[in-house]
Amino acid sequence: MPVRNAEIADLFDRMATLLEIQGANPFRVRAYRNAAQTLRGLPRRVADMLAEEEDLSRLPGIGKDLAGKIAELVDTGHFVALEELEKEVPAGLVELTRLAGLGPKRVRVLHEELGIRDLTELERAARKGRIRELAGFGVKTEQRILQALRRHAPEERRHKLADVEETASDYVDHLRAVAGVKDVIVAGSYRRRKETVGDLDILVTCKKGAPVMRSFVEYDEVDEVVSRGTTRATVLLRSGLQVDLRVVPQVSYGAALYYFTGSKAHNVAVRAIAVKKKLKINEYGVYKGDQRVAGKTESEIFKAVGLRYIEPELRENRGEIEAAKKNRLPHLVCVSDIRGDLHAHSDATDGHDSLRKMAGAAKKLGYSYLAITDHSKRVTIAHGMDEKRLRRQLDAIDRLNAMLHGIRVLKGVEVDILADGTLDLSDSVLRHLDLTVGAIHSGFNLSRHKQSERIIRAMDNPYFNILAHPTGRLINQRPGYEIDMEGVMEAALERGCYLELNAQPDRLDLQDVHCRMAKDMGLKLAISTDAHRKSNLEYMRFGVDQGRRGWLEPEDVLNTRPWRELKRLLARR
Ligand code: DGT
Ligand code: CA
Ligand code: CA
């Protein structure tokens, strides 16, 4: 039972949260969080690295102590320090930290001052008006907590796409190894590359179902077999993820893949078209009377109902069927269209790798440019730069560019948008940059109107180019701040500014529908990774997937342009 990097990372994050609730030394808390981040970005399993006797303490953010904890986990399956801490901190408190507006620090105050231990007790206290009495909370916070509680309750647990990828591909490998198995593919929202998935839907073709079924339910990560038949089964994994399996004969592969890729809304709409053509469509094929007229491949299915092939990312019944009829489907952007990354950090602020290393990694990806956009001074926890430090970095970039071949480091900054909409750095330094990325890191609670005004004011600055992570949301962790997206996009368009589609799997900020909105308005987007270490540059594919769900074509994306063209697009009149 090899331990996954993501599992260890989750445990480290949990450790950090528990420590924070306890009020432990912030450096210790940060060490666990950093290590979790490192683990998530590693290309190889630490379990494999340990098996090859590699020294984990040489990884960034992982010292001797944490390397020891990882080894303990891999060897024994236990993490004693965490187990001890779990006994000390009430279990419900961790869940409270996931509520919007309540970090571990606040949860600690709630626990210490009011004895709150879980959601129910929190709600009771909020209703009684006891939270507003706490120092640093107030009526507004109390209302926000009640609001968050209402939102929290019915929400089903959905899993971030990136978090389930490793599980999905391991499960697929496991099933492929079964004798007699032909195709194994993950369908459902996973194949549509939705930002979160409710469960995984695996489709297998083979002659005899029994061995596949057995192998499916006996997979070592299975915690519970929910149901098991001859052609379908459902299991729950230890991670809490549900996985559905369907086994179909080879002749039905295309029909089943199409059916189980969904979405349901898309399927229903296409079925209506089939009915009009006097056809029947189900997971075994397309039928005219009793005769199967299509089923083996997805293209056959589309052809049979008179449609062009529709990419899975588009199958949401958001106009793709009409577009397919009229042969007006978009030619979706691909990772190979991307020529560079326009948002990345170096170790000058809260990144982990040097300018040179970041540039080398970008070159390896085949990019021709990489913008280094470190934080500005207001973001003190990220060791943000003032004008003087930024100027020094610009000189360093000039020196580096003089030595580099085949890749250009663009001079950028991720400048903080202050409360009043002005920028955290003066124009005298911004004017020397290739591009300015602006971002909000504080003041999330402004009204929709005020927040939008603030952003638009920032765009009034003639050096402003790209609005980073436009809503500030973190998937499953915190909702974004409220903004009038259409108004902000219109303002960007008028001013020659752009919005970012942040590719971090925890952010994916813009949402797919907002990407589509931008495209329809003629506003180009930058798909950027916001990389904080070399390996993060590979998050690009998550951003591209999200962009594809928003119908983006190469020409809708800034960083598919060569630098000369991009430079013109960035120049504001
Ligand atoms: P999820 O799991 O919530 O992220 O979303 P999906 O799209 O993966 O949904 P899921 O797992 O419930 O079902 C997988 C696919 O199966 C779905 O996308 C379309 C198909 N499907 C499920 N139920 C129905 C149905 O009642 N009618 C039709 N036409 N298709 C269905
Ligand atoms: Ca699913
Ligand atoms: Ca399912």
Side-chain angles (χ1 to χ4, degrees), residues 274-561:
V275 168
K276 271 196 203 144
K277 292 184 187 290
K278 305 236 179 326
L279 297 169
K280 201 179 90 189
I281 179 167
N282 62 27
E283 62 264 52
Y284 296 101
V286 179
Y287 297 84
K288 197 178 246 168
D290 284 342
Q291 198 194 349
R292 178 170 17 218
V293 295
K296 210 162 181 307
T297 66
E298 269 194 329
S299 358
E300 264 180 40
I301 306 288
F302 280 107
K303 223 176 187 171
V305 294
L307 294 174
R308 295 272 167 161
Y309 178 82
I310 302 172
E311 300 279 359
E313 293 91 331
L314 297 178
R315 301 183 198 167
E316 297 290 344
N317 195 25
R318 292 178 182 157
E320 74 279 8
I321 298 168
E322 294 71 23
K325 264 191 218 157
K326 295 185 194 144
N327 194 13
R328 285 218 192 116
L329 284 164
H331 299 282
L332 300 180
V333 64
C334 300
V335 170
S336 58
D337 295 319
I338 300 293
R339 300 201 194 210
D341 202 322
L342 297 178
H343 184 168
H345 297 269
S346 76
D347 56 7
T349 60
D350 61 346
H352 294 260
D353 290 314
S354 65
L355 284 177
R356 175 198 295 272
K357 282 195 174 155
M358 292 298 288
K363 185 176 170 183
K364 247 195 193 153
L365 291 174
Y367 289 166
S368 52
Y369 49 84
L370 168 72
I372 292 295
T373 54
D374 272 316
H375 286 285
S376 65
K377 56 186 182 264
R378 170 59 63 98
V379 190
T380 46
I381 48 164
H383 192 44
M385 299 188 294
D386 58 12
E387 282 80 356
K388 203 165 138 201
R389 274 177 59 211
L390 179 53
R391 275 177 184 276
R392 245 184 280 145
Q393 187 181 55
L394 302 187
D395 292 339
I397 292 177
D398 279 334
R399 286 195 300 275
L400 182 59
N401 274 332
M403 290 170 0
L404 291 174
H405 297 283
I407 179 100
R408 170 196 288 265
V409 177
L410 303 180
K411 297 178 210 166
V413 72
E414 177 179 1
V415 67
D416 216 50
I417 298 175
L418 303 180
D420 63 357
T422 56
L423 303 182
D424 189 25
L425 292 169
S426 67
D427 291 358
S428 65
V429 63
L430 297 181
R431 59 190 285 268
H432 295 292
L433 303 178
D434 292 314
L435 84 166
T436 297
V437 173
I440 284 185
H441 294 108
S442 61
F444 275 37
N445 298 319
L446 293 184
S447 71
R448 180 179 152 101
H449 180 70
K450 286 245 171 71
Q451 197 69 280
S452 311
E453 265 191 340
R454 173 188 184 189
I455 291 170
I456 294 169
R457 170 107 200 268
M459 289 180 176
D460 282 338
N461 182 301
Y463 298 106
F464 190 102
N465 296 119
I466 300 170
L467 177 64
H469 37 75
T471 74
R473 70 136 172 199
L474 292 175
I475 299 175
N476 286 352
Q477 273 180 65
R478 75 171 183 223
Y481 34 84
E482 303 265 346
I483 61 167
D484 165 12
M485 188 58 83
E486 204 172 348
V488 166
M489 285 185 174
E490 260 161 23
L493 206 53
E494 279 164 15
R495 288 162 182 73
C497 300
Y498 304 93
L499 266 64
E500 171 183 282
L501 159 49
N502 190 293
Q504 297 262 333
D506 294 341
R507 290 189 181 268
L508 292 173
D509 184 5
L510 298 172
Q511 292 178 43
D512 51 8
V513 288
H514 289 142
C515 294
R516 178 82 177 276
M517 188 192 258
K519 182 197 169 79
D520 290 346
M521 288 169 58
L523 175 68
K524 290 190 202 311
L525 301 176
I527 305 182
S528 307
T529 64
D530 195 354
H532 281 71
R533 56 179 77 245
K534 287 185 307 185
S535 57
N536 288 171
L537 289 168
E538 292 178 24
Y539 287 153
M540 186 58 78
R541 64 191 179 85
F542 293 106
V544 168
D545 285 341
Q546 181 87 336
R548 289 166 66 88
R549 289 181 53 82
W551 293 49
L552 298 188
E553 300 181 82
E555 47 275 33
D556 301 317
V557 179
L558 276 181
N559 44 321
T560 59
R561 307 292 94 199

Side-chain angles (χ1 to χ4, degrees), residues 187-190 197-201:
S189 50
Y190 182 86
V197 301
D199 67 4
L200 292 179
D201 306 279

